[in-house]
């Protein structure tokens, strides 16, 4: 699938990511041509991409960087600022804030459900429920 593609390509199971440093309009053109090559590959092998799941994430702080619009099968890819990848929340600046916020919100919600469902718990019972339901989310 990656034969002839100039950009870096990462593949895992049924997931593929195309990555390229974009500093010039030529880089945008090469990235779009790589997408065109992948589209031709999918047509040849009768394996369609789910283009509704395809997105663009612009990483870094380049205000003068060209902003390309990328397409496949006639569908434009929207620009995203938060994407989930293998269970991790990825943002353009690569901070962990969104990921930590999601995990802590989930853990707090689970803790609230435990407390609401079991009002009169002894310390040992609460510890068992916490260890089984809340702590794995945090870990």
């Amino acid at each position: 699938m990656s034969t002839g593609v100039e950009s870096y390509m990462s593949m895992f199971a049924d997931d593929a990511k195309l990555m390229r440093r974009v500093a010039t309009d030529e880089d945008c053109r090469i990235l779009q041509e790589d997408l065109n090559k992948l589209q031709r590959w999918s047509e040849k092998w009768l394996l369609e991409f789910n283009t509704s799941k395809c997105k663009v994430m612009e990483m870094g702080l380049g205000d003068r960087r060209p902003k390309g619009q990328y397409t496949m099968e006639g569908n434009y890819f929207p620009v995203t600022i938060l994407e989930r990848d293998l269970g991790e929340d990825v943002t353009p600046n690569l901070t962990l804030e969104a990921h930590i916020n999601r995990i802590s919100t989930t853990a707090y919600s689970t803790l609230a459900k435990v407390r609401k469902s079991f009002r009169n718990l002894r310390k040992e019972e609460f510890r068992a429920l916490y260890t089984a339901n809340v702590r794995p989310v945090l870990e």
Side-chain angles (χ1 to χ4, degrees):
M1 182 164 96
S2 62
T3 303
V5 173
E6 292 183 43
S7 302
Y8 176 77
M9 192 164 181
S10 170
M11 295 182 282
F12 181 77
D14 66 345
D15 188 42
K17 291 173 192 54
L18 198 59
M19 295 171 260
R20 179 170 198 83
R21 182 175 186 266
V22 175
T24 65
D25 290 332
E26 178 66 10
D27 293 324
C28 293
R29 188 196 63 74
I30 292 170
L31 186 54
Q32 180 58 56
E33 183 53 39
D34 287 341
L35 289 167
N36 296 342
K37 288 175 187 175
L38 291 174
Q39 182 176 344
R40 288 190 295 271
W41 177 89
S42 74
E43 290 165 357
K44 176 182 177 182
W45 294 101
L46 303 176
L47 293 168
E48 294 181 24
F49 286 100
N50 187 348
T51 56
S52 66
K53 290 185 175 181
C54 296
K55 297 180 184 92
V56 172
M57 183 178 285
E58 298 169 339
M59 314 283 284
L61 301 172
D63 288 338
R64 293 183 280 171
R65 172 184 52 224
K67 306 275 188 204
Q69 286 194 321
Y70 305 101
T71 65
M72 185 181 271
E73 300 172 2
N75 298 316
Y76 283 92
F77 299 157
V79 176
T80 184
I81 58 169
L82 177 66
E83 196 59 36
R84 199 159 205 198
D85 186 30
L86 300 176
E88 302 284 330
D89 293 328
V90 180
T91 59
N93 57 5
L94 297 176
T95 62
L96 296 174
E97 184 178 355
H99 183 69
I100 291 168
N101 287 343
R102 181 179 53 81
I103 288 172
S104 59
T105 299
T106 303
Y108 185 76
S109 173
T110 304
L111 178 61
K113 289 173 188 171
V114 166
R115 292 185 63 124
K116 185 176 182 179
S117 298
F118 304 95
R119 294 220 181 255
N120 300 316
L121 288 176
R122 292 187 313 242
K123 189 175 184 177
E124 303 81 33
E125 295 167 334
F126 176 77
R127 181 177 289 134
L129 286 168
Y130 180 87
T131 303
N133 295 292
V134 179
R135 201 162 108 192
V137 173
L138 295 171
E139 290 175 350

